[in-house]
Amino acid sequence: MMTKTNGFVRRIIVFALEVAAVWVIGSLLREVLPAYPVGIMTIFCINAVLALSWNLISGFTGQFSLGHAGFMVVGAYTSALLMMKAKWPFLPSFITAGLLSALVGFLVGFPSLRLVGDYLSVVTLGFQYIITAILNNTTKLTGGGLGLPGVPYVTSLPVAAVTLTITLWILSNLVNSKQGRCFVAVKEDEIAAQSVGIDTTYYKVVAFMISSFFAGLGGAMIGHYMMYLHPDVFNYAKTIESVSMVILGGLGSLTGSLLGAMCITLLPEVFRNLATFLGGMGMLGPANFLRRGWMVFYATGFLVLMLTRPQGLLGRRELTWPGFKKWIGRVVVRKEARP
Amino acid sequence: MLFEVENLTIKFGGLTAVDDVTMNVDEGEIVGLIGPNGAGKTTVFNLVTGVYTPTSGQIRFRGQNLVGLKPNQIAKLGVVRTFQNIRLFKTLTVYENVRTAGHLRVPYRLPDAFLHTPRFDVCEQETHEDALRLLDMVGLLSRKDEIASSLPYGLQRRLEIARALATRPKLLLLDEPAAGMNPQECVDLIEFIRDVKRDFDTTILIIEHHMDVIMNICERMYVLNFGKLLAHGTPAEIQVNPKVIEAYLGEAQTDAED
């Protein structure tokens, strides 16, 4: 029993050190690097939180929600308004944003998670449009369609990176637990899950609430990064962005979501820079084509990936240190084995 | 009495699939439920496990009424089933299938899962060892890391029973465990079910078409035909019961006409 407690304390200390290290590295990078790469890294961290949260409900629990942006927007406006109108400090506003999103997740999830498959997708999609319509029409509080300017800037690289670290830690703890296994059981076969005593409705609602909580945090970070909010920022395309990150990385893989978020955050920048580079070299034709038509490459790339590797880059596997070492070992052995 | 069904009836529109069935199972018994195709055997299982709600009648387990409870609540009380067409967690490994089903006996709550508290560590260690022990008992330990759907058919059946056992059921309902098995696999299954009853101290209600299996392991059996209880008795009594013979031969006759 004693050693178990020590194991827990040690893990908490290690995690605290990790968070501290991430904070320090984030702050250093912000000082040292130009604004452009720092911005990309910050956006990556936000996107990763959003992808991870969608992965929990859809990748692990198998409930294909299309209302993710709806939960982001709840978090975004909650945190922004609490700081602006109620003069709350950042941290309580931020956490309240997550909690309110989770509450909304409960209200949406409790009745609709009895639905299966496509029906759930349609209901959650409908929820997202409803919430956008509400925000567009509550002009006094949220500025409505005029948007909400003057949101305080808080989401610096260290803040975003630390939020991502904590999200990843909590979610990886969760999926490696009894509850995590029940989520997967719900995805695998609901009838079989019930037959061994798993309360599928309960686990679906719980997964939905936790997913909404982190979506709310992600949305709040977006507001505090852009310093401006508009209901239409959180449209259907915003949901699909998170969805594509998770599907690219692999449904049901946390590190896959990180990888997917990285690819989808970086890809437009790579094309943009390539276009600028080609333009600088005097190749104006290809440069202009890239600038206007990079989406074609992006879409084609996605199609090819889905045809050749429908389970995503990682599938259900996780990238881990021991796994990485083994892989390196295999590569080395293969090279040595060559005559 | 561990388990009682009284005047159980369910109607689907004009069809009475189960009609006024009364049966009981005592602690430690292995009881068979047989009958021609479409007699309503699986429907009885679906009623008992809460998949369907009966039109009328009572189902009692240890004196508690099961009618109206959800399938997961019934499983939690200790009535756990397997399925006629195997329902494993297909893409999970053998070990993960059994480990997942062990969740009922894990007491920690959501905050423990978030933070991996000391309590989490203790429980996880226990369930991990328990899953391995269970796999060892059912002879699947050497294949624990294989994907469930890649197992041979007979072993998938065995894994499904193992998964049900991971919940430590008081009453295990087996729906045609020998379906699709060859004679050798049937012999193994008979051994296996006997071992299960002994090692897990559980009571078993079994639906089966293979007469050699059911005559071999059951102490008592019920015969259903067209939703009605046709006969009840020991295997020896059932084998010579004229009504049972007629029901089965009657079916054979219609087969011959096809």
Side-chain angles (χ1 to χ4, degrees):
Chain A
M1 192 64 209
M2 200 55 216
T3 51
K4 294 288 179 195
T5 315
N6 289 342
F8 171 63
V9 171
R10 202 183 63 236
R11 281 201 305 266
I12 291 286
I13 292 173
V14 168
F15 174 63
L17 289 176
E18 275 170 21
V19 169
V22 167
W23 179 272
V24 169
I25 293 169
S27 309
L28 276 177
L29 286 176
R30 184 162 70 132
E31 297 304 321
V32 175
L33 292 178
Y36 175 60
V38 171
I40 294 174
M41 285 187 229
T42 313
I43 292 169
F44 157 71
C45 291
I46 300 173
N47 282 342
V49 169
L50 295 172
L52 285 169
S53 60
W54 190 77
N55 201 350
L56 181 70
I57 186 66
S58 300
F60 286 92
T61 321
Q63 309 303 308
F64 206 87
S65 157
L66 284 179
H68 212 50
F71 300 108
M72 296 179 206
V73 79
V74 171
Y77 274 88
T78 307
S79 184
L81 289 172
L82 281 176
M83 281 187 81
M84 290 164 70
K85 307 235 155 139
K87 304 290 174 212
W88 284 25
F90 169 66
L91 208 56
S93 317
F94 190 54
I95 291 170
T96 311
L99 292 176
L100 196 67
S101 290
L103 178 68
V104 174
F106 174 76
L107 295 177
V108 176
F110 190 68
S112 58
L113 283 167
R114 286 153 202 276
L115 302 173
V116 184
D118 309 345
Y119 301 101
L120 177 75
S121 306
V122 172
V123 169
T124 49
L125 181 61
F127 154 72
Q128 189 220 301
Y129 279 104
I130 291 169
I131 202 94
T132 316
I134 291 174
L135 288 169
N136 267 319
N137 288 293
T138 47
T139 322
K140 267 200 190 128
L141 184 65
T142 65
L146 293 174
L148 185 69
V151 180
Y153 177 80
V154 187
T155 317
S156 56
L157 180 56
V159 169
V162 163
T163 311
L164 172 58
T165 312
I166 295 174
T167 307
L168 188 60
W169 187 69
I170 289 183
L171 288 184
S172 80
N173 277 353
L174 182 64
V175 299
N176 291 305
S177 72
K178 166 184 91 168
Q179 284 81 359
R181 289 191 290 271
C182 290
F183 292 157
V184 177
V186 170
K187 173 189 173 180
E188 286 284 324
D189 189 328
E190 274 194 49
I191 293 174
Q194 284 173 352
S195 83
V196 292
I198 294 173
D199 187 344
T200 51
T201 312
Y202 168 80
Y203 282 106
K204 281 196 263 183
V205 171
V206 165
F208 206 60
M209 286 175 70
I210 297 169
S211 167
S212 308
F213 176 83
F214 287 107
L217 294 190
M221 284 202 287
I222 292 177
H224 293 302
Y225 178 75
M226 299 198 310
M227 298 191 279
Y228 171 76
L229 279 176
H230 190 283
D232 293 347
V233 171
F234 301 92
N235 57 10
Y236 180 62
K238 193 75 195 165
T239 301
I240 294 301
E241 211 177 88
S242 299
V243 173
S244 9
M245 287 169 196
V246 174
I247 290 178
L248 177 67
L251 283 158
S253 162
L254 294 176
T255 42
S257 292
L258 294 185
L259 194 65
M262 198 183 290
C263 291
I264 290 197
T265 313
L266 279 180
L267 222 57
E269 307 303 330
V270 168
F271 280 114
R272 204 198 315 276
N273 285 311
L274 195 61
T276 314
F277 174 73
L278 290 176
M281 297 285 284
M283 289 184 269
L284 290 178
N288 277 332
F289 177 68
L290 262 189
R291 208 165 276 143
R292 292 204 200 105
W294 67 270
M295 266 295 199
V296 175
F297 294 104
Y298 181 80
T300 316
F302 229 94
L303 279 178
V304 170
L305 184 87
M306 284 302 103
L307 287 172
T308 54
R309 218 181 144 69
Q311 72 273 46
L313 292 172
L314 295 186
R316 265 185 63 217
R317 283 192 303 268
E318 299 285 356
L319 292 174
T320 55
W321 267 125
F324 181 70
K325 275 190 226 151
K326 233 197 216 155
W327 180 74
I328 292 286
R330 272 213 308 271
V331 172
V332 172
V333 168
R334 217 179 293 152
K335 269 190 188 149
E336 279 170 358
R338 253 179 231 156
Chain B
M1 196 56 65
L2 181 76
F3 175 72
E4 295 162 283
V5 166
E6 242 171 60
N7 309 108
L8 191 67
T9 302
I10 186 169
K11 293 181 178 158
F12 298 110
L15 174 79
T16 308
V18 174
D19 193 356
D20 201 26
V21 168
T22 299
M23 56 195 284
N24 59 60
V25 181
D26 214 347
E27 190 119 31
E29 277 188 304
I30 301 183
V31 175
L33 181 59
I34 66 167
N37 286 327
K41 306 180 296 293
T42 298
T43 310
V44 169
F45 271 24
N46 283 336
L47 287 164
V48 170
T49 55
V51 178
Y52 301 142
T53 312
T55 312
S56 65
Q58 295 231 353
I59 305 164
R60 273 194 305 275
F61 177 69
R62 291 180 154 174
Q64 187 178 354
N65 190 8
L66 298 186
V67 174
L69 295 184
K70 290 197 286 179
N72 58 286
Q73 293 169 319
I74 291 170
K76 204 170 172 180
L77 288 174
V79 181
V80 180
R81 72 179 293 184
T82 63
F83 295 88
Q84 193 174 348
N85 42 351
I86 309 172
R87 289 196 103 110
L88 292 169
F89 302 132
K90 287 194 193 64
T91 68
L92 302 187
T93 64
V94 169
Y95 166 77
E96 285 168 329
N97 264 275
V98 172
R99 182 111 195 249
T100 303
H103 78 107
L104 281 176
R105 292 175 305 120
V106 185
Y108 67 74
R109 307 188 72 83
L110 211 48
D112 298 303
F114 282 137
L115 300 174
H116 282 195
T117 57
R119 185 166 135 163
F120 170 92
D121 287 338
V122 175
C123 295
E124 286 296 282
Q125 187 61 31
E126 276 170 16
T127 49
H128 166 71
E129 283 164 10
D130 188 71
L132 293 183
R133 212 177 312 128
L134 181 66
L135 286 173
D136 194 22
M137 284 166 97
V138 302
L140 282 168
L141 191 59
S142 58
R143 315 187 78 138
K144 73 182 174 72
D145 294 321
E146 286 181 41
I147 300 297
S149 60
S150 73
L151 286 182
Y153 187 77
L155 291 186
Q156 288 195 24
R157 286 255 173 232
R158 190 170 280 228
L159 174 58
E160 204 191 19
I161 297 173
R163 187 183 64 185
L165 288 173
T167 66
R168 293 298 185 275
K170 313 283 184 312
L171 175 64
L172 183 61
L173 308 174
L174 301 176
D175 196 347
E176 293 201 30
M181 285 189 175
N182 63 36
Q184 182 52 47
E185 284 174 323
C186 282
V187 173
D188 293 345
L189 184 80
I190 293 170
E191 276 308 299
F192 178 58
I193 292 175
R194 288 213 174 105
D195 289 348
V196 162
K197 190 200 151 190
R198 192 189 58 231
D199 297 341
F200 292 87
D201 193 26
T202 179
T203 306
I204 297 174
L205 178 60
I206 176 171
I207 293 177
E208 193 43 76
H209 274 305
H210 284 64
M211 288 304 149
D212 42 345
V213 173
I214 206 137
M215 295 293 168
N216 236 307
I217 54 175
C218 291
E219 290 136 31
R220 286 191 300 132
M221 51 207 292
Y222 289 89
V223 186
L224 279 183
N225 194 26
F226 295 116
K228 285 198 176 69
L229 204 58
L230 193 68
H232 163 225
T234 63
E237 289 166 2
I238 294 297
Q239 269 169 322
V240 296
N241 186 314
K243 280 197 281 185
V244 176
I245 294 167
E246 194 191 318
Y248 273 88
L249 286 181
E251 196 202 22
Q253 215 166 34
T254 46
D255 277 357
E257 280 168 13
D258 284 339

